[in-house]
Amino acid sequence: MAGQTYNVTEDKNRKKFYVLNMFPYPSGAGLHVGHPLGYIASDIYARYKRLQGFNVLNPMGYDAYGLPAEQYAIQTGQHPAITTEQNINRYREQLDKIGFSFDWSREVRTCEPGYYHWTQWAFQKMFGSFYCNKCQSAQPIEKLIEHFEHEGTANLDVAQSEELTFSANEWNAMSDVEKQQVLMNYRIAYLGETMVNWCPQLGTVLANDEVVDGVSERGGFPVVQKRMKQWCLRVSAYAQRLLDGLDTIDWTESLKETQRNWIGRSEGTEMQFKVAGSDIEFTIFTTRADTIFGVTFMVLAPESELVKQLTTPDQQAAVDEYLTYVKKRTERDRISDRKVTGVFSGSYAINPFTGDNIPVWISEYVLAGYGTGAIMAVPAHDSRDYAFAKHFDLPIIPLIEGADVSEESFDAKEGTVMNSPAAGKTALDGFSLNGLSVKEAIAATKKFVTEHQLGRVKVNFRLRDAIFSRQRYWGEPFPVYYKDGMPQMLPEECLPLQLPEVDKFLPTETGEPPLGNAKRWAWDTKTKTVVDNSLIDNETVFPLELNTMPGFAGSSAYYLRYMDPHNDQALVSPEADEYWQSVDLYVGGSEHATGHLIYSRFWNKFLFDLGVSRKEEPFQKLVNQGMIQGRSNFVYRIKDTNTFVSLGLKDQYDVTPLHVDVNIVSGDVLDLEAFKAWRPEYATAEFILEDGKYICGWAVEKMSKSMFNVVNPDMIVEKFGADTLRLYEMFLGPVEQAKPWDTNGIDGSHRFLKKFWNLFWNKEEFAVTDDEPTAAEMKSLHKLIKKVTEDIEVFSYNTSIPAFMIATNELSQLKCQKRAVLEPMVVLIAPFAPHIAEELWESLGHTTSVCDAQWPAFEEKYLVEDTMKMMVAFNGKTRFSIDFPADADNATIEAAARSHELTPKYLEDRQIMKVIIVPKRMINIVMK
RNA sequence: GCCCAGAUGGUGGAAUUGGUAGACACGAGGGACUUAAAAUCCCUUGACCAGUGAUGGUCGUACGGGUUCGAUUCCCGUUCCGGGCACCA
């Protein structure tokens, strides 16, 4: 084992297999037993594939940029690079103890210039690209410029922030800065003034997936909406491809569903509404075009630009007051108290189908960021509109036959349409939906709207562009400088732009990001070097970007970098990429479903468009390992005393439950001396015991320091060995499932390994003979091969291990010491318990590593049962069973039946009419 | 509210295609070895009923129905737990 490496090269003579774990953020707390779960599962798979002859890439690295190191730096002044380095060393030490087969020569760290070179490079490429909807691909921005020079915005079908209209002449007449501003509207990485999630406590903006329930995911601080100029990635351009790609990959249905929800495709209609008494026209988006005859009011988002235009002078004061109120509310407020608020704008819109005047309201329940920020409200068939109409006493017109809308709206898309138009009224061009089903009505309305140019069919996505700036120090710097207020990219050959030194990691006094503290953070365009800020003259020396990139930047393409980690000419060479293609098995937590797993799919699709990545989807199969929860222990202190009472007796006293360190509890029995030594205040503790023991209470909680339920893998390895830890983690339950850690059961796994060992070791020496194995021994072996092979393929390791245990028990009873049986068993156990396998392999007289052995193939002939069972059942019950030889013919079966109770008399007595023999397991069915 | 995935002994969980439910392990109880302890090994362990006993019977996979000779498995409905999305029009 010593000195063995698992380093691989692109060996074209062998088939490749790429196994990947989500790389960890090296936190100061080190690994607990939950972290290695996924690594163990994927390591088993990697070792299995290697034994099958695959060239397996199984790399590991560190997602090294992150908030905790920066916050530690702010508190202590310790440079985050130092903290990160220390934590990485600790992680490596812990990982090495568990015996993973990682190719450490390919290790990456996102914070190293050699790595983030390519993060910056990809960002620059995104800046230099736009998204063409027609060819569904990213294209160089030069192509767009060419289009503008010839046609302006005519015949343009591209992803954009706003729909702009200008002619070729207008474009050509623009100044350079104006052109730059226009292009920003189309770039895939763009500087955009948008509403962002601003977290004042963290002093930075956050992406949508970093905000949970209106507070920051890290720290749980309030988040407010703020208009800011930030770098953004046009992820939304890829929405349809991100959705379609899900059908091509082997992920769990629930994870795909989560991504589908997040992408939020919705097919609907955009319709234009004119404003009464003016030539203003505005557009709304609806999925229920069929409800156009039930519209009784319109609603604008408070942030909508239309608010200014549509507010009448006599409503101005009320509207202003409302806008002030809305501005004060944080995201959290809006979620927690969902009260109905709003104000009338004073204007009326005209229903294009009926000509009716409809009041236009303003309310925060309409979101500026989705659709057009304006809706048509149909209170009868939308619960939100219904609540609004009830609150402000607006009319409600039911449109579905039989729907009772006196108490609540009827939101379901079913039923027969009525009142469309209402009796005695006529709509534009005699249009009517009455009598149609809702589905038909939606289709008919879409058709009518398109033909009469009242609007268009439109697909909307909930997926927002990713905000890509963070006001932090410990992240990738943008390779960007500013000239005339417009961002300029550093020349490609000047990358990487290295993170500068600062003396303070906090924002500057003027509120600029931490990089504002850097003294040497200016770009000299002549020498193409970073120079002192004092040299900035805005002619040849310019200020550099002060924001840094977010956490997901470095993790978005690391799987490509592992293919060719030391290449300083390219992110990945075409040769390496051609060989490794994409990740075959990706293992990690499902908490990344809407973050990393969306961003890296987007990032990879962009690189695919560029021709850098050969596969459109980066991760073919994905397995989410479940979280390992902690199992906390409690002691019960009698109030106002230092006396602790055992679990069974606690109800007789008035007690306070207190968390106790699980490491001084064994099988829920407290180690009293260790408890007294645990904390000074317990040194004089007294105990009320039951049966001479102190029994602790327990509960399943998140594994965390504060609950004293963190179990460190190092301790397990020290006590039982890495193989026991590996085996036990797999035996705990299905890999995908969340489950509590319970050290109690670990003895079983440990005992099994000892038993396995004792198949070879007869207390004095390794004893294995070259005798031919018996059929029974071969059967035991081949059943095991089949079971383990199939289980590994579908990742159900927890059922594989019992198979080992059964086989081991069977063979130990057979006093098996046959080489032909034991050698394959060692190979089989090798993925699960590599250390013991390696030692046994050597003891069997092999000079090569067990990794060079071949995974055994099972032979069908040993699997066939020698006896079959015939089951006799009637009245829904199995009555008895008869054994007979497996190769029996019908006469033999009949004879077997007759020799038992299944005689004609038996059948007659029970009024059994007929016996059916079905194939498969030869089960007999007896019918009355 | 919408969507997805679940529910099996005291516990974690097996049963992969509809075919003897509860593999394997933990825990518990009993026993062997031992001066003793540790270690190891063996037996019992879903519930209930009958029997001294071997054993036999009934019930039993959240709940209520259905399909089937036969359902943990398939279908319909209900309850509960977990996850995702959520003023997304």
Side-chain angles (χ1 to χ4, degrees), chain A residues 662-810:
Chain A
V662 292
N663 294 301
I664 58 171
V665 178
S666 168
D668 288 338
V669 177
L670 182 66
D671 180 336
L672 300 180
E673 290 313 308
F675 182 72
K676 285 183 181 177
W678 184 37
R679 296 190 149 190
E681 65 262 40
Y682 299 145
T684 58
E686 296 188 15
F687 304 93
I688 300 175
L689 308 177
E690 46 184 325
D691 302 331
K693 291 173 186 167
Y694 189 97
I695 310 292
C696 298
W698 61 275
V700 172
E701 296 173 304
K702 204 181 151 167
M703 200 169 272
S704 102
K705 263 185 176 172
S706 62
M707 305 192 187
F708 303 108
N709 59 6
V710 175
V711 182
N712 187 315
D714 300 6
M715 285 181 46
I716 306 280
V717 169
E718 203 176 302
K719 203 167 165 195
F720 298 99
D723 288 345
T724 301
L725 173 73
R726 290 169 63 105
L727 211 58
Y728 185 59
E729 292 225 356
M730 291 301 100
F731 190 44
L732 224 44
V735 176
E736 294 93 336
Q737 193 178 297
K739 54 218 166 239
W741 177 265
D742 183 356
T743 309
N744 288 340
I746 202 163
D747 285 337
S749 300
H750 192 57
R751 262 204 295 272
F752 159 68
L753 285 177
K754 278 196 275 190
K755 254 191 208 174
F756 190 79
W757 182 267
N758 288 334
L759 284 179
F760 302 79
W761 178 253
N762 67 6
K763 299 212 169 94
E764 282 169 19
E765 53 168 355
F766 282 100
V768 177
T769 74
D770 289 320
D771 293 354
E772 276 294 302
T774 64
E777 288 159 350
M778 290 303 269
K779 195 166 164 177
S780 190
L781 171 67
H782 284 277
K783 262 159 59 183
L784 181 65
I785 297 171
K786 183 166 194 270
K787 172 82 176 143
V788 172
T789 307
E790 286 170 355
D791 283 351
I792 291 186
E793 288 292 349
V794 299
F795 243 77
S796 53
Y797 304 154
N798 64 316
T799 68
S800 236
I801 292 160
F804 273 114
M805 291 175 172
I806 293 164
T808 304
N809 278 340
E810 282 175 10

Side-chain angles (χ1 to χ4, degrees), chain A residues 331-571:
Chain A
E331 191 70 12
R332 181 131 221 211
D333 294 340
R334 276 175 93 152
I335 292 165
S336 59
D337 82 286
R338 210 169 269 186
K339 55 187 177 190
V340 179
T341 64
V343 67
F344 178 47
S345 72
S347 292
Y348 291 84
I350 301 165
N351 186 325
F353 284 67
T354 63
D356 291 345
N357 275 6
I358 320 160
V360 180
W361 286 69
I362 298 157
S363 173
E364 59 178 337
Y365 86 86
V366 172
L367 304 176
Y370 185 77
T372 59
I375 63 153
M376 63 179 214
V378 185
H381 301 292
D382 183 285
S383 52
R384 297 153 300 182
D385 298 343
Y386 189 87
F388 196 84
K390 281 278 176 187
H391 190 263
F392 290 105
D393 204 18
L394 295 160
I396 297 165
I397 307 171
L399 301 171
I400 308 286
E401 283 177 18
D404 175 16
V405 296
S406 59
E407 290 302 322
E408 55 178 359
S409 60
F410 181 83
D411 291 16
K413 287 187 189 178
E414 55 193 45
T416 307
V417 177
M418 62 171 193
N419 275 345
S420 301
K425 290 209 171 186
T426 47
L428 180 64
D429 256 9
F431 184 68
S432 170
L433 296 168
N434 290 329
L436 298 178
S437 75
V438 168
K439 265 193 186 146
E440 291 163 349
I442 293 174
T445 316
K446 274 183 182 170
K447 190 162 170 252
F448 188 86
V449 164
T450 313
E451 282 170 4
H452 290 72
Q453 292 178 1
L454 301 171
R456 58 176 172 172
V457 173
K458 176 84 199 280
V459 176
N460 260 330
F461 292 95
R462 210 177 61 83
L463 186 69
R464 296 275 80 89
D465 287 347
I467 293 157
F468 201 61
S469 301
R470 294 293 181 277
Q471 291 67 44
R472 311 228 64 95
Y473 172 72
W474 192 229
E476 297 87 349
F478 283 89
V480 171
Y481 67 91
Y482 284 87
K483 182 182 172 185
D484 303 326
M486 290 308 291
Q488 310 293 326
M489 293 297 125
L490 260 57
E492 197 177 316
E493 66 273 16
C494 298
L495 299 183
L497 173 65
Q498 298 209 27
L499 190 63
E501 290 304 320
V502 293
D503 20 308
K504 272 201 313 190
F505 302 106
L506 278 167
T508 66
E509 271 148 37
T510 53
E512 284 181 327
L515 289 192
N517 291 316
K519 293 194 177 62
R520 198 178 163 80
W521 197 236
W523 186 251
D524 186 333
T525 51
K526 268 210 178 121
T527 59
K528 297 185 179 177
T529 50
V530 176
V531 294
D532 221 82
N533 290 3
S534 58
L535 298 174
I536 294 173
D537 57 12
N538 286 317
E539 280 177 22
T540 58
V541 180
F542 300 95
L544 282 158
E545 168 75 54
L546 299 180
N547 288 297
T548 54
M549 297 186 194
F552 68 83
S555 59
S556 285
Y558 74 113
Y559 51 89
L560 286 172
R561 190 62 182 163
Y562 278 137
M563 297 176 182
D564 197 6
H566 308 296
N567 191 335
D568 58 4
Q569 298 302 307
L571 167 61

Side-chain angles (χ1 to χ4, degrees), chain A residues 302-324:
Chain A
E303 299 85 3
S304 169
E305 312 234 318
L306 289 164
V307 169
K308 229 181 275 171
Q309 298 176 46
L310 296 195
T311 303
T312 56
D314 49 325
Q315 282 298 102
Q316 190 68 50
V319 170
D320 285 347
E321 193 190 331
Y322 183 67
L323 294 183
T324 313

